[in-house]
Amino acid sequence: MAAPDLNKLQQILASAEDNEAVITQIRKSFAKVNELLSEINTMLEPGYRIEKKERKPRATSSTGKRPGRPKKNASAE
């Protein structure tokens, strides 16, 4: 009788470990959802203003070549 009880106990422990991993993942996701909801709440406030981000100027290439794929005529030669 002791062997089936030990097997059942091992199954319960294994499922508890799996459940703990799922609970940890749910907690992380819930924290992200709470953060996003707080951001949405701040955006929905009546006095909310969008802050414009400053764009950095593009870095110029030292070789003088433009980025991207070369034209078909140039690659055929």
Side-chain angles (χ1 to χ4, degrees), residues 19-32:
N19 291 341
E20 188 63 35
V22 170
I23 288 172
T24 303
Q25 188 176 14
I26 288 171
R27 284 184 180 140
K28 287 180 183 177
S29 298
F30 189 71
K32 289 180 183 178

Side-chain angles (χ1 to χ4, degrees), residues 10-50:
Q10 286 176 342
Q11 289 175 349
I12 290 171
L13 289 175
S15 66
E17 289 174 358
D18 293 341
N19 291 341
E20 188 63 35
V22 170
I23 288 172
T24 303
Q25 188 176 14
I26 288 171
R27 284 184 180 140
K28 287 180 183 177
S29 298
F30 189 71
K32 289 180 183 178
V33 168
N34 276 340
E35 183 180 332
L36 291 174
L37 284 174
S38 68
E39 286 182 21
I40 289 173
N41 283 336
T42 57
M43 283 193 259
L44 294 177
E45 290 177 359
Y48 179 75
R49 297 272 185 234
I50 297 174

